[in-house]
Structures are given as C-alpha cells and as structure tokens.
C-alpha cells in the first residue's frame, strides 16, 4: 500500500499526513525505502550497491549511510573498503552483512519511512537479533520503521503500533 502496488479498498494510506494517491511517484519513492528478505547485492562495489538507493549520492553520503547501518566492520575487513567489488575474487559477504548493506542502500535516500519485509527471514538467530537491533536504532533516530513479518517474536523489538493481518483482514491491533 505504501508503494502503491495496490490502493486501499477503504480508507486512506497517508505518508507524512499526505494521501499516498496524491503524491507523485518520485516523491513517494524518495519518502519510503524498502528492505526485502532476499536483498541481493550486485557483483559491484559496496559503493555502487548502496548508490542503487540514490545514484546521485556522494561518497560521503554513502559512507554516512553505511555507518548508520553499522557497516564499518565490513568496510574495515575489505581490501579497498567501499570500493571493493563483492562477489568477485573470493570477496563475499554473509547474509547479515548483505542485509546491513541493503539497509544502507535504503538509508542513503534519507527516507522518513523504511519498510522492512521479512528482514530476518534468511538469517540465523544471532544475525536476526543484529538486524532487529539495527532497525530499532534507526527508528530511535526518527525514521519510521514498518516491519512486515510472520515472526511474532520480532514485534517485541518495537514499542509502537502492531497490526496483525490474517488473510487480508486486520485481525488485531495494539500498542506495545
């Protein structure tokens, strides 16, 4: 609904108080960024992978997004830092590292909202906790984080509003 793949059958979806249907596509896509369960990185540099979120981003903006996504340890171990091409020459990232770079890609656009669709779906419990902690931190800095998940245990990481949907119908709502 936030991306307007579908419009609501009833009611209104507002982004920053504005009806999403009234926003032009570019404004909406600059306001909301997405992180998916299977966030794959290209066989390209970390810099180029993050710039997919905003091709005009400067090196400094990319580095700031990588820092916010807690990727400094990743950069420190790579031979050319963010200029290292991943997926080549034996340089590969773990699932959790790939997900953090994908989060940096979402953050480089300075969105007011991040939608994380099953952000821990392919990760082990330790990496899942790492990603959820990171999303909590981003939320605490003022970015709205919408987590779509089947894992009920993940909702404990957030203290805002929880909406349970069952077969397309709101089954329950609550405030944590």
């Amino acid at each position: 609904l936030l991306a307007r793949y579908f419009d609501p059958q009833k009611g209104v979806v507002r982004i920053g108080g504005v009806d999403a249907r009234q926003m032009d596509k570019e404004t909406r896509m600059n306001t909301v960024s997405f992180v998916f369960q299977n966030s794959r990185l290209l066989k390209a540099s970390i810099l180029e992978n993050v710039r997919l979120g905003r091709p005009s981003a400067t090196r400094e903006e990319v580095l700031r997004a990588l820092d916010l996504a807690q990727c400094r340890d990743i950069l420190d171990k790579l031979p050319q830092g963010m200029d290292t091409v991943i997926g080549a020459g034996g340089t590969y990232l773990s699932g959790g590292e790939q997900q953090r770079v994908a989060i940096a890609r979402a953050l480089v656009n300075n969105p007011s909202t991040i939608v994380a669709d099953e952000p821990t779906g392919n990760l082990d419990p330790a990496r899942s906790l790492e990603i959820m902690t990171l999303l909590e931190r981003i939320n605490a800095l003022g970015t709205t984080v919408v987590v779509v998940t089947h894992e009920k245990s993940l909702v404990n990481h957030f203290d805002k509003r929880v909406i349970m949907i069952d077969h397309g119908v709101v089954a329950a709502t609550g405030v944590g």
Side-chain angles (χ1 to χ4, degrees), residues 1 8 37 46 50 54 58 60 64 70 72 81-82 84 104 110 127 149 159 165 171-172:
L1 294 173
Q37 175 180 353
I46 299 284
V50 174
R54 187 164 51 92
T58 65
E60 292 76 25
R64 185 171 52 243
Q70 298 177 340
R72 183 58 72 166
M82 71 176 165
T84 302
N110 296 314
R127 297 297 162 246
T149 183
D159 61 354
I165 300 174

Side-chain angles (χ1 to χ4, degrees), residues 149-160:
T149 183
H150 291 90
E151 295 293 326
K152 291 180 183 177
S153 63
L154 295 182
V155 300
N156 296 329
H157 288 270
F158 296 93
D159 61 354
K160 304 297 179 199

Side-chain angles (χ1 to χ4, degrees), residues 20-78:
R21 295 173 292 197
Q22 304 305 316
M23 299 175 105
D24 63 75
K25 182 180 178 180
E26 184 176 341
T27 300
R28 189 175 58 256
M29 296 315 286
N30 287 333
T31 303
V32 181
S33 289
F34 297 86
V35 177
F36 298 102
Q37 175 180 353
N38 295 320
S39 295
R40 296 289 178 227
L41 303 181
L42 301 178
K43 186 175 180 179
S45 70
I46 299 284
L47 174 70
E48 293 167 309
N49 271 284
V50 174
R51 275 190 177 152
L52 289 173
R54 187 164 51 92
S56 64
T58 65
R59 288 181 69 84
E60 292 76 25
E61 290 169 327
V62 169
L63 187 58
R64 185 171 52 243
L66 286 163
D67 281 341
L68 189 56
Q70 298 177 340
C71 293
R72 183 58 72 166
D73 63 317
I74 299 169
L75 299 180
D76 289 346
K77 76 177 186 177
L78 297 174

Side-chain angles (χ1 to χ4, degrees), residues 103-168:
I103 291 169
R105 179 188 296 157
L107 290 170
V108 76
N109 217 20
N110 296 314
S112 61
T113 303
I114 290 180
V115 177
D117 185 8
E118 298 287 0
T120 63
N122 292 326
L123 303 177
D124 63 55
R127 297 297 162 246
S128 293
L129 180 59
E130 178 181 276
I131 295 301
M132 291 309 294
T133 301
L134 171 57
L135 290 173
E136 283 179 276
R137 183 171 161 256
I138 292 166
N139 182 242
L141 293 173
T143 300
T144 299
V145 176
V146 177
V147 176
V148 180
T149 183
H150 291 90
E151 295 293 326
K152 291 180 183 177
S153 63
L154 295 182
V155 300
N156 296 329
H157 288 270
F158 296 93
D159 61 354
K160 304 297 179 199
R161 186 171 176 147
V162 177
I163 303 169
M164 291 185 64
I165 300 174
D166 185 14
H167 294 92

